[in-house]
Amino acid sequence: MVMTSTVNLPSSVPNWENLPLTNTPTPQQLALIQTHIDLMLLALESLIPIDQDMLLQAALDLEINSTLTETVTLWSNRADNGEEILLTTLSVEQTRSLILIICYIAGKYQELIRRAVTLLEQMTAQNKDPAKVTLLGNYLQKFHEFYQIAMIATKLIELPQPKKLASKLLVDLLFYSVENGHRRLWLALLDYTH
């Protein structure tokens, strides 16, 4: 059973003013930003059963051009189809739209993400393997499967401990699931690429 957050989302739709663009990212910076966003989408999809309809509904809720959702290939689809692509190269506007969508979906599932992070912290504090807890075990297994696809598709470096990346991204999802999380993520990504 999937739990959704009972927290009320802000009534105002996030807008571009919340995602400042003082300097347009260079193509190299935009590529780095998109890679990070794709990894966040990978983590989100490893925890939550996302499908194209959910992406489309989020775009409609946020009043974003829904053609973006046709551009984004979810990791489960990539696994099923054996696709060897990451994200299609996105424009700055599409990239910012995808950030809004990811943070919006994370906000809707904030309770589940918080539960997973709390379990992760408890297991780490007790020096126990997080994979022994069903919720985290399922998340880590899917993350590992999707990350293997990403390595083949994009020649990402194989990590000796992919659990660390999975854990970090899970905490990031919680951090960016809050109101104005999309703004925090955008500013962090701009800072990360400079």
Side-chain angles (χ1 to χ4, degrees):
M1 183 174 95
V2 177
M3 297 175 61
T4 57
S5 175
T6 56
V7 176
N8 290 328
L9 292 171
S11 56
S12 61
V13 175
N15 55 37
W16 296 127
E17 288 79 37
N18 290 333
L19 298 176
L21 186 61
T22 52
N23 295 315
T24 304
T26 66
Q28 295 82 6
Q29 291 168 332
L30 194 56
L32 286 172
I33 288 171
Q34 289 179 14
T35 298
H36 191 83
I37 291 171
D38 208 38
L39 287 172
M40 290 197 70
L41 186 60
L42 183 154
L44 190 62
E45 193 180 351
S46 297
L47 185 65
I48 299 164
I50 299 176
D51 59 19
Q52 293 296 139
D53 289 339
M54 186 184 291
L55 291 180
L56 177 59
Q57 187 58 56
L60 294 173
D61 291 349
L62 295 168
E63 299 175 5
I64 292 171
N65 187 335
S66 61
T67 57
L68 171 67
T69 62
E70 297 167 9
T71 307
V72 178
T73 305
L74 292 169
W75 286 98
S76 58
N77 293 341
R78 296 177 213 190
D80 293 341
N81 300 330
E83 294 188 37
E84 295 193 356
I85 57 169
L86 200 58
L87 285 176
T88 304
T89 302
L90 302 177
S91 68
V92 173
E93 289 73 24
Q94 288 175 318
T95 301
R96 297 196 302 173
S97 293
L98 190 53
I99 287 171
L100 289 173
I101 289 171
I102 288 171
C103 292
Y104 178 76
I105 293 173
K108 290 187 76 159
Y109 287 85
Q110 187 182 64
E111 184 179 315
L112 177 64
I113 297 168
R114 186 180 308 282
R115 194 170 119 227
V117 169
T118 300
L119 287 170
L120 179 65
E121 290 171 345
Q122 289 172 352
M123 296 300 281
T124 302
Q126 296 170 13
N127 249 353
K128 294 181 179 175
D129 182 4
K132 300 292 183 190
V133 178
T134 303
L135 177 62
L136 293 176
N138 291 341
Y139 166 73
L140 292 169
Q141 180 183 347
K142 282 186 182 176
F143 184 91
H144 183 68
E145 290 170 8
F146 292 155
Y147 191 78
Q148 293 297 315
I149 297 165
M151 284 191 328
I152 294 166
T154 62
K155 300 180 177 50
L156 282 175
I157 298 170
E158 183 169 5
L159 298 175
Q161 296 180 321
K163 282 185 182 178
K164 284 189 177 182
L165 176 60
S167 300
K168 181 197 179 310
L169 289 169
L170 187 60
V171 173
D172 285 352
L173 284 175
L174 180 60
F175 185 71
Y176 298 123
S177 69
V178 300
E179 187 172 353
N180 282 325
H182 58 282
R183 177 181 169 83
R184 291 181 183 182
L185 177 54
W186 175 246
L187 294 174
L189 290 171
L190 286 178
D191 188 52
Y192 166 73
T193 58
H194 282 93

